[in-house]
Amino acid sequence: MQHSPDNSSCRKAYITTPIYYVNDVAHIGHAYTTVIADALAIYSRMVGHDTFFLTGTDEHGQKIEEAAKARGKETQAYADEISGKFKALWDEFGISYDKFIRTTDTEHKQGVQFAFQKMFDKGDIYKDVYKGHYCISCETFFPKIQLVDDEFCPECGKPTSIVEEESYFFRLSDYQDRLLQWYHDNPDCILPRSKRNEVIRFVESGLEDLSVTRTSFDWGVHLPEAINDPKHVMYVWLDALMNYLTALGYGTDNTHMDQWPARVHLIGKDILRFHAIYWPAFLMSLEMPLPKHIAAHGWWTRNGEKMSKSKGNVVNPKEVADAYGLENFRYFMLREVPFGGDGDFSQRALIDRINSDLGNDLGNLLNRLIGMSGKYFEGRIESDLVGKYYQAELNAMRESITKLEPLLFEMQIHRYLEELWRPLSVANKAIDQYQPWTLMKEGREEEAMALNGLIATILANVAVMLHPVMPKTTTAIAGALGFEITQENYEKLIQKAGMLATFTVEKIPPLFPRIEEAVLVEKTEEKKIEKAPAKTEEKEEGVAMIGIDQFFQTSLKIGTVIQAEEVPKSKKLLLLQVDLGDGDVRQVVSGIKEWYSPEALLDTQVCLVANLKPAKLMGIKSEGMVLAAKDKEGLVLMRPEKPKKTGTAVS
RNA sequence: GGCAAGGUAGCUCAGCUGGUUAGAGCGCUGGUCUCAUAAGCCGGAGGUCGGGGAUUCGAGUUCCCCUCUUGCUACCA
C-alpha cells in the first residue's frame, strides 16, 4: 500500500531503551525514553512487524559496589532491589517490553566474555599500561594538561604522582575511518540529524584507544578464562553496550539473533557519544551489522528550570501518572516536545493538553457521536453511504492518515500526533456544516446516518493510529465503536481505507473529564527549606560554598528609584526606573507590588543586581533585580542603612 | 576561542529546490449553533520573518558582515 523502500528489513523491529543505571531513581527522563520505545514497539507489532522490545538495568561498576557497602548490603542484593524497582515501575506503567535484561544476568556476562575474546583474538584488544597523573587524595586521574605547574592537582592542589595501571585497550583509533564512512553513508543513522554533525566532528578530531578494563574494583564482568587475568573486570561501557546483543542470545544460545540489527536504539543525549562511536566500533570489530538508527532525545525541565535533587523539583513519573492518568501523561510527553529538543514539564501545560487536545477535540467528538446516534438512530451507525455524501471529508482524513507512518520512523512523534489531530477537526467541522439535527428535521435521515458513519470512521482511524501512544484509551474508543484494534483491523481501516461494519455505539462515560486545577501540590518551595540545613554533602547542586571571586561576579549597586508605576494587568509587578549614577538608568520589573506602592518607592534607594541578564516579564524588559527578603510575614527591600551616593558598589 | 544548529505572531513551532495579501496549534477576543465535556464552528486582533548590506524583475527562503541563544569542543579562570 504505502511506499515501503526496504520491506524486508522493516519486517523486523528491534527497539531498545538504554539499560538504566541502578544508582539512580526513576525520573521523568527514564519514563520518557521508555514510553517512546513502548509506543514504537506497539506500533510495530500492530502493523505486523516481528518486534522485540528491550529494556533493563545496568548494575556494574564501582559506584554500585560502594553504594551497597554504604547501606551494609551485599552488592548483588542491592542491585536486585533497585533493578526490581525499575521493573516494577515499567510493569505498573504497562510497558510492553519483551525482555528486561540485567547486566548481572549470567547469559549477559557470558555473552560479553564471548565478545571480549573475539575482539582479543582479532587483535582489537591489547594489554598495555595506563599511565596517568593520579591524585591520591582525590582518587582521580588527571590529564597532564590540567595539572597546575605540570605537577599539582587542579582540585586540591596537592602534588600528583604518576601511576601506572594495567589495562586492556580497544583499538578504537583503527575504526575512525570506517566510522566516518558509516556516518556519511547513513544520513539517518543518528537522529536528530544535527547530533550527527557533532559526532562526526568529534571523530574527525581523532580517536584514542579506549581503556576497557579496570583493576581498581571487582564488581563487573571478569575477562574470559582463556585470557587468565582475574584481577581485571570490564569497564562499564563495553559491558553495558553489549546488552543490546546479549539480550538476543549473542554468545550463548542465539535465540533471537535474527532480530539484529536494531531498528532503533533510543537514548538520552547524554550518552550519545558512547552509542554513536564506541558501540558501532565494537560492532565492527565483532563483524556485526550496525543499528539502523540511534535516536537521542533531550531533557525535561520543570517550569523552565533544570531538574535537580537539591531543588526538589524532580518530576516523579509515577506521581504524575497517578494524578493525571498514565496515558494522558504518555500523550503529553510525546506530543509536547519536538524529538531531540528539551521539553518543559508543567502541570499547566499538561492540563492544557488534556483539556484541549484530548478532551475537546477527541473525547468530546466521541460524545457528540454517542449523543447524535442515540438521539436519532437508537445508537445504530451505518457507514456504507459515507462515500456518497462525504467523500471530500473522507479524502481529507486519508490525506492525514497516509502522512503518519514516515513521521513515526523519523522520530517526529510530535508531528505525527499533530497530523493525527487534523481528521478530528475535519469531523467537528463536518457536524457543524451539515447539521444533522437539521437533516433530521427535514427528513434527510440517510444523510444524517452517513454523517454519523463519517464521524465513526474518523474516530476509528484516529483510535488505531493513536493506539501506540494511548493503548488502553484507544481500546476503549474502539470498543465503543464496535471493533477491536488488531493487525487485521489496522490493515482493513488504515491500509485498505475500509469502513466500519454496522454497529450499535456503546455509551461510555467521558474519557477525558475536564481538569480545572493542578492536582499535585507544588512542594518545591517547602522542600528546599527543609532540605537545605540537613543536606550539606550535596555541595555540587545545592547551597554550595563559593569562592569570593564567584561572589564578585555579581555586581551589586545602590540605586535611586526615580520613577515607579504599576504594571497594568499584573498582580505582582511594579515597573521601576532605577538610577545607578553616571547616566545609567535601569528599567526594572519587580514583583513587589503586593508590599510596596509606587509612591512609597519614589526617590528611595534600593540595592540592585546590576549585571543580571535582562529578562522579560509580562512583555516588559527588566534590566536588574532589586534585593529583598521575604518570609511568611511579607517582603521587605534591602536598603542602605543611611543614604549613599547613587551608584555606590555593594560588597 | 573554534565548530555546529538556531533566532518567524503572547507561547510552541511549520515554512521544500527564491515567486501572488507569511502559516498551524495553543492563548486572547467578537459572533453563533445545540449533537457534545463552560465543548464545537465562524470571524478578528497580533509578525519591520534578530539587525545591516549584497545578488535578483522578485528573498523569511541565496551570499557577506554583525548580534543574541543553544549544543559540542578547546582554553583561560
Side-chain angles (χ1 to χ4, degrees):
Chain A
M1 183 72 208
Q2 265 282 20
H3 56 92
S4 321
D6 53 341
N7 232 334
S8 54
S9 65
C10 275
R11 293 283 172 213
K12 299 278 179 194
Y14 180 31
I15 296 158
T16 71
T17 74
I19 43 176
Y20 302 118
Y21 200 48
V22 295
N23 204 27
D24 210 352
V25 180
H27 53 70
I28 187 174
H30 296 113
Y32 182 48
T33 322
T34 308
V35 165
I36 295 171
D38 191 46
L40 292 175
I42 295 174
Y43 181 89
S44 299
R45 289 191 199 100
M46 182 173 78
V47 303
H49 294 173
D50 182 7
T51 304
F52 195 88
F53 171 19
L54 175 73
T55 189
T57 45
D58 179 12
E59 306 177 21
H60 287 137
Q62 196 166 7
K63 276 187 190 168
I64 306 299
E65 203 173 34
E66 284 168 1
K69 205 177 284 175
R71 290 165 176 76
K73 291 182 179 167
E74 288 291 316
T75 314
Q76 184 64 54
Y78 175 69
D80 289 349
E81 184 185 322
I82 310 289
S83 174
K85 283 186 185 169
F86 272 94
K87 189 163 186 293
L89 180 65
W90 303 146
D91 287 342
E92 196 176 328
F93 274 20
I95 300 299
S96 66
Y97 59 83
D98 293 292
K99 184 178 171 76
F100 187 98
I101 191 171
R102 302 180 52 184
T103 53
T104 51
D105 289 341
T106 309
E107 298 76 25
H108 169 75
K109 291 191 264 190
Q110 287 172 350
V112 176
Q113 288 173 333
F114 178 85
F116 192 97
Q117 186 74 51
K118 192 162 179 182
M119 294 173 176
F120 184 80
D121 291 345
K122 195 177 177 185
D124 274 347
I125 287 180
Y126 61 94
K127 191 173 182 178
D128 202 344
V129 179
Y130 183 82
K131 279 187 216 168
H133 299 263
Y134 189 75
C135 173
I136 298 164
S137 167
C138 300
E139 296 183 24
T140 312
F141 282 98
F142 292 100
K144 190 177 176 191
I145 199 152
Q146 280 189 16
L147 298 181
V148 180
D149 294 337
D150 286 342
E151 184 185 349
F152 301 102
C153 171
E155 294 288 326
C156 65
K158 291 177 184 163
T160 56
S161 46
I162 292 176
V163 169
E164 300 192 350
E165 186 183 330
E166 260 189 6
S167 177
Y168 287 82
F169 287 84
F170 174 77
R171 289 189 199 279
L172 187 61
S173 54
D174 278 7
Y175 289 90
Q176 185 165 334
D177 294 340
R178 269 178 280 177
L179 284 169
L180 289 171
Q181 191 65 41
W182 181 57
Y183 306 138
H184 177 264
D185 295 343
N186 300 277
D188 290 333
C189 61
I190 296 164
L191 298 170
R193 286 168 84 145
S194 57
K195 290 282 170 199
R196 189 179 67 137
N197 297 333
E198 258 172 49
V199 172
I200 290 174
R201 261 174 283 118
F202 187 87
V203 174
E204 278 173 347
S205 72
L207 294 175
E208 288 182 12
D209 288 353
L210 191 66
S211 164
V212 289
T213 68
R214 290 287 185 278
T215 54
S216 52
F217 63 96
D218 190 56
W219 185 242
V221 181
H222 287 255
L223 302 201
E225 276 187 30
I227 296 176
N228 189 25
D229 209 341
K231 65 176 187 286
H232 286 266
V233 295
M234 283 182 223
Y235 185 44
V236 61
W237 279 106
L238 178 60
D239 171 14
L241 286 164
M242 278 302 298
N243 93 87
Y244 299 130
L245 277 179
T246 62
L248 302 177
Y250 180 83
T252 51
D253 60 12
N254 289 312
T255 321
H256 295 291
M257 279 308 289
D258 59 335
Q259 287 286 353
W260 191 259
R263 184 91 171 76
V264 55
H265 292 306
L266 275 157
I267 58 170
K269 63 184 182 182
D270 55 327
I271 50 175
L272 177 63
R273 188 180 301 170
F274 307 103
H275 283 77
I277 299 174
Y278 301 170
W279 181 229
F282 292 158
L283 288 167
M284 286 171 181
S285 176
L286 295 171
E287 290 163 25
M288 299 292 289
L290 304 187
K292 299 286 182 211
H293 304 291
I294 294 162
H297 68 245
W299 302 134
W300 282 92
T301 54
R302 174 79 176 261
N303 297 324
E305 287 189 355
K306 202 175 169 183
M307 287 192 286
S308 74
K309 282 182 204 165
S310 59
K311 278 186 193 156
N313 64 350
V314 177
V315 176
N316 178 334
K318 186 171 153 28
E319 252 177 43
V320 176
D322 288 347
Y324 291 96
L326 169 64
E327 302 211 339
N328 294 346
F329 184 40
R330 283 172 67 113
Y331 173 80
F332 170 79
M333 286 193 287
L334 298 185
R335 174 64 185 85
E336 184 72 3
V337 40
F339 188 83
D342 290 346
D344 186 57
F345 177 88
S346 71
Q347 296 194 73
R348 186 71 257 156
L350 174 56
I351 291 170
D352 284 349
R353 285 289 176 202
I354 295 173
N355 285 344
S356 176
D357 295 6
L358 296 175
N360 296 353
D361 296 342
L362 176 59
N364 185 46
L365 180 63
L366 178 62
N367 270 28
R368 300 181 84 178
L369 179 67
I370 291 172
M372 289 190 295
S373 63
K375 203 158 184 171
Y376 307 142
F377 304 108
E378 294 164 332
R380 258 171 69 79
I381 294 180
E382 294 165 14
S383 303
D384 28 307
L385 293 179
V386 174
K388 179 175 172 188
Y389 294 104
Y390 307 107
Q391 194 58 47
E393 283 77 13
L394 273 183
N395 291 345
M397 176 197 76
R398 293 298 310 165
E399 199 183 324
S400 287
I401 295 292
T402 52
K403 279 182 189 164
L404 294 174
E405 178 167 309
L407 290 173
L408 196 70
F409 286 134
E410 287 161 22
M411 288 293 150
Q412 299 287 313
I413 304 178
H414 70 295
R415 302 277 293 277
Y416 175 100
L417 290 169
E418 188 182 12
E419 190 64 44
L420 182 56
W421 247 244
R422 289 188 205 288
L424 297 176
S425 172
V426 170
N428 275 318
K429 282 191 203 336
I431 297 175
D432 279 69
Q433 188 184 338
Y434 299 109
Q435 305 183 347
W437 49 94
T438 307
L439 294 175
M440 290 305 289
K441 274 182 207 154
E442 294 175 356
R444 296 152 75 184
E445 296 197 2
E446 191 177 277
E447 285 169 63
M449 177 59 93
L451 184 67
N452 284 353
L454 172 72
I455 310 305
T457 304
I458 288 177
L459 276 169
N461 273 267
V462 171
V464 170
M465 297 310 276
L466 183 60
H467 186 244
V469 178
M470 309 185 79
K472 292 222 171 71
T473 307
T474 49
T475 298
I477 295 174
L481 300 179
F483 78 104
E484 281 179 42
I485 298 178
T486 59
Q487 187 187 337
E488 259 180 19
N489 280 328
Y490 164 79
E491 283 167 5
K492 180 182 151 196
L493 287 165
I494 305 299
Q495 294 193 310
K496 296 179 184 152
M499 306 301 288
L500 290 170
T502 297
F503 69 97
T504 299
V505 74
E506 185 194 336
K507 288 189 184 179
I508 58 173
L511 293 165
F512 311 101
R514 215 180 156 72
I515 299 171
E516 299 298 344
E517 284 180 8
V519 181
L520 293 171
V521 181
E522 296 278 349
K523 53 194 168 189
T524 56
E525 289 291 318
E526 292 169 38
K527 259 193 182 168
K528 202 190 287 178
I529 294 161
E530 282 169 16
K531 285 182 83 171
K535 291 222 169 185
T536 43
E537 76 250 59
E538 283 189 6
K539 56 185 174 189
E540 283 177 11
E541 322 181 77
V543 192
M545 305 299 285
I546 60 168
I548 187 84
D549 52 336
Q550 261 175 293
F551 172 75
F552 282 123
Q553 288 173 7
T554 314
S555 166
L556 297 174
K557 287 186 179 175
I558 298 298
T560 302
V561 179
I562 55 174
Q563 197 181 322
E565 58 190 282
E566 300 190 349
V567 175
K569 284 190 195 174
S570 167
K571 204 163 67 182
K572 296 181 178 170
L573 302 181
L574 289 184
L575 177 58
L576 310 176
Q577 303 295 334
V578 181
D579 185 5
L580 291 181
D582 300 327
D584 185 2
V585 176
R586 299 297 183 86
Q587 168 167 303
V588 177
V589 181
S590 182
I592 56 176
K593 185 167 163 183
E594 293 173 66
W595 298 279
Y596 289 88
S597 68
E599 303 77 51
L601 285 170
L602 203 57
D603 298 325
T604 63
Q605 289 196 317
V606 294
C607 181
L608 194 80
V609 181
N611 61 344
L612 196 65
K613 241 186 334 193
K616 271 197 174 177
L617 299 168
M618 296 283 288
I620 303 168
K621 193 170 173 190
S622 180
E623 305 167 304
M625 182 172 85
V626 175
L627 294 189
K630 183 180 160 192
D631 64 8
K632 285 177 202 157
E633 310 294 312
L635 173 145
V636 293
L637 289 172
M638 309 301 293
R639 306 169 181 277
E641 189 179 332
K642 294 172 188 166
K644 294 305 266 183
K645 189 172 167 236
T646 292
T648 304
V650 178
S651 63

